[in-house]
Amino acid sequence: MAQNATTLNDRVKQLSYITGNGTYIELANGAANGFSTFRRHYSHDDVVFYAITDGTNYEIGSGLFKDKDSSSIDSFVVDSISRNPISSSNSDNSKVNFAAGTKEVYNTYPATHAVIMGSGINSSLNVPARHGIAVWDSENILNYFSNLTFKEAGGIGVNQTDPSYGLDLGGASSDYSSRVRASGYYVGDTGVYFLDNTTGSNSTDVGLWYRSSSNYAGGRQFVHFLPNQTNSDTGSNLVLETSGVVNEILKLKPQNAATVFAGPAQNCGSPPCSEDYPTFRILHSGDIPDLSSIYGTTSYVDTTSGNLTAEIDADVLAASGTLDNSISGVQNNLTTHIGTYATDFNTFEVASSGRIDTYLDNASGVLFPISSTQTATISMTAGDLTEYTFNVTGVSTTDNYTVNASPSGVSGGANSFSSKVLIGHGYVSASDTVKLNMYAKDDFSSTPVTFNISVHKT
């Protein structure tokens, strides 16, 4: 039996001689006179309601029955029941600390777990009827209400004595008890059925009118709203098309080249023409208004072009002489400037070459780090913070450096250097000398470790 279920059995009692308030009640072999044993009705690890008393103290609870013949793992030598008190003679309902002597242990039905049919206790607790649904009126008492019904061939009825659906709500439409409210609905093959709003109180319900001149006809809906449609009366079907799915997307249809979307053309003979729905069509001359007040005529363009040509010729002729004079002056100034500053340029070139040499010398330590491979025997105890000294030729205390170090040729694994020791801060402590701070996460026995050390000038 699963440990979330139990059974009650009549006339089950055995004796016990336990003392103290231990974890288990050990049962004596055989049943009390006139009773049966627990093992007759319960299997190993079944849930049992029990009561135990020595005639003065008592304990009522639940526990797991342990069959000594089926408990090789638990190693029980006698049938036993684990103790989990629900109530006891102790004020805090804890396990009783029994003295030596004989105790009776029997199957019981704890009051805290008892289910009581409440009819007759008071006037608010009703006598149940066939097909009625019981509801908890308190933590132990069941009550019955006539407006709740269950039928095997139908379903559950609320204000419906003969339900025909899985959940069938009766009563007046104005009653909230005949309505359903939920955070969402799953609609299967039957869809959702809507009444029409042409007659009765439904005709005034808000939101059921989809046109100002027509009532809602009702019907069954299988998607969360009806798909959009185009219309041949207005010609929207010639311009727009729908995607054909529930979340409708309106699309433009492909049209012939050299057409425009416009209302009726002004070629009806007697403008203005009558209004009509727009279509894609060829543009007519009548569609273009008179724009003579804002554009130039051919004669105006001819006159303007002659004046513009003469003006341009005069400006180019005048500008050419000025440009020749400016070019000659720039040549003379450039020749004079080069001759004057040739000596200064040579002096600057010599001075700059010295500065570049100095920069390259300083930068060599930045661009090309000082590297060294050193071996040291590392021996540390968990929690140690230790400095180890290494010889790195070429470093000095007059410059600033960054020091990087990593173990070489050390394989990973639970006992490796990298799994037990962390390399912390490294620094130049003296000329040709680098120190590394190491922290031991775990004990690391005396072992030679080779380090690759790289020192960068900053």
Side-chain angles (χ1 to χ4, degrees):
M1 184 187 300
Q3 292 188 1
N4 61 352
T6 188
T7 60
L8 296 175
N9 294 280
D10 297 326
R11 309 289 294 177
V12 177
K13 184 192 292 187
Q14 290 180 248
L15 300 180
S16 177
Y17 301 99
I18 64 166
T19 59
N21 56 358
T23 304
Y24 291 95
I25 300 171
E26 295 180 344
L27 303 172
N29 290 332
N33 292 334
F35 293 85
S36 60
T37 62
F38 281 90
R39 66 163 42 227
R40 177 180 174 182
H41 300 284
Y42 296 100
S43 300
H44 185 65
D45 275 344
D46 278 353
V47 177
V48 175
F49 283 130
Y50 71 86
I52 180 172
T53 179
D54 59 3
T56 302
N57 301 302
Y58 67 87
E59 178 180 314
I60 298 165
S62 66
L64 298 180
F65 175 70
K66 300 292 184 177
D67 185 336
K68 67 182 180 62
D69 297 328
S70 303
S71 59
S72 58
I73 298 177
D74 300 327
S75 299
F76 286 92
V77 296
V78 296
D79 291 349
S80 304
I81 299 173
S82 60
R83 298 172 68 179
N84 297 284
I86 298 172
S87 63
S88 71
S89 52
N90 293 337
S91 59
D92 60 354
N93 293 321
S94 60
K95 287 185 289 188
V96 174
N97 188 11
F98 285 111
T102 303
K103 290 86 182 171
E104 292 183 337
V105 185
Y106 51 90
N107 207 182
T108 190
Y109 188 19
T112 54
H113 292 64
V115 179
I116 302 171
M117 188 62 243
S119 60
I121 296 177
N122 59 50
S123 59
S124 66
L125 300 172
N126 305 307
V127 178
R130 188 168 184 268
H131 295 301
I133 297 177
V135 296
W136 290 105
D137 199 86
S138 69
E139 59 187 16
N140 289 93
I141 296 175
L142 291 175
N143 200 357
Y144 160 78
F145 298 96
S146 59
N147 64 329
L148 299 176
T149 307
F150 174 77
K151 286 290 184 69
E152 297 90 337
I156 296 175
V158 179
N159 298 323
Q160 179 65 268
T161 57
D162 189 17
S164 301
Y165 301 94
L167 181 61
D168 198 341
L169 276 64
S173 60
S174 59
D175 295 337
Y176 281 99
S177 60
S178 65
R179 304 178 185 182
V180 175
R181 180 172 68 178
S183 60
Y185 294 94
Y186 176 81
V187 179
D189 296 339
T190 57
V192 179
Y193 182 77
F194 295 90
L195 294 174
D196 64 62
N197 70 330
T198 57
T199 59
S201 60
N202 203 34
S203 63
T204 59
D205 283 354
V206 177
L208 293 180
W209 297 77
Y210 71 97
R211 285 187 184 176
S212 60
S213 60
S214 301
N215 292 328
Y216 176 65
R220 194 179 306 276
Q221 187 170 316
F222 297 94
V223 295
H224 60 281
F225 60 82
L226 294 176
N228 295 325
Q229 300 180 29
T230 57
N231 180 263
S232 59
D233 294 339
T234 63
S236 65
N237 63 311
L238 302 176
V239 179
L240 303 174
E241 65 179 3
T242 58
S243 62
V245 294
V246 174
N247 55 334
E248 285 299 326
I249 302 171
L250 297 179
K251 301 178 179 179
L252 292 175
K253 282 188 171 182
Q255 303 295 329
N256 293 329
T259 58
V260 295
F261 186 60
Q266 292 283 45
N267 62 346
C268 56
S270 301
C273 301
S274 300
E275 65 178 21
D276 202 350
Y277 296 108
T279 60
F280 276 93
R281 60 176 179 79
I282 296 174
L283 193 65
H284 293 275
S285 59
D287 295 321
I288 303 175
D290 183 6
L291 302 176
S292 59
S293 60
I294 61 173
Y295 57 73
T297 62
T298 303
S299 60
Y300 175 78
V301 173
D302 289 342
T303 302
T304 302
S305 65
N307 293 336
L308 185 60
T309 299
E311 183 69 24
I312 291 173
D313 289 345
D315 288 342
V316 169
L317 183 61
S320 63
T322 304
L323 185 59
D324 287 340
N325 293 334
S326 296
I327 291 173
S328 298
V330 169
Q331 282 181 318
N332 293 334
N333 290 336
L334 186 58
T335 299
T336 301
H337 184 79
I338 290 174
T340 301
Y341 292 100
T343 301
D344 293 341
F345 179 76
N346 290 334
T347 302
F348 172 77
E349 183 179 15
V350 172
S352 296
S353 64
R355 288 195 293 271
I356 291 173
D357 290 341
T358 301
Y359 172 76
L360 290 176
D361 181 59
N362 292 333
S364 62
V366 178
L367 300 177
F368 305 101
I370 300 171
S371 299
S372 179
T373 300
Q374 300 287 329
T375 300
T377 298
I378 306 299
S379 179
M380 301 181 73
T381 303
D384 283 354
L385 182 62
T386 307
E387 279 190 343
Y388 284 86
T389 302
F390 298 88
N391 178 262
V392 180
T393 303
V395 299
S396 73
T397 57
T398 59
D399 294 313
N400 295 322
Y401 300 93
T402 60
V403 179
N404 297 313
S406 61
S408 173
V410 178
S411 61
N415 297 314
S416 67
F417 173 85
S418 58
S419 68
K420 293 189 174 185
V421 180
L422 297 177
I423 301 175
H425 173 64
Y427 65 97
V428 175
S429 60
S431 295
D432 301 328
T433 304
V434 167
K435 288 190 175 183
L436 298 179
N437 287 300
M438 300 186 193
Y439 170 75
K441 298 184 294 181
D442 202 350
D443 293 345
F444 186 72
S445 60
S446 180
T447 304
V449 181
T450 299
F451 296 89
N452 294 325
I453 302 173
S454 178
V455 182
H456 294 252
K457 185 186 292 185
T458 60

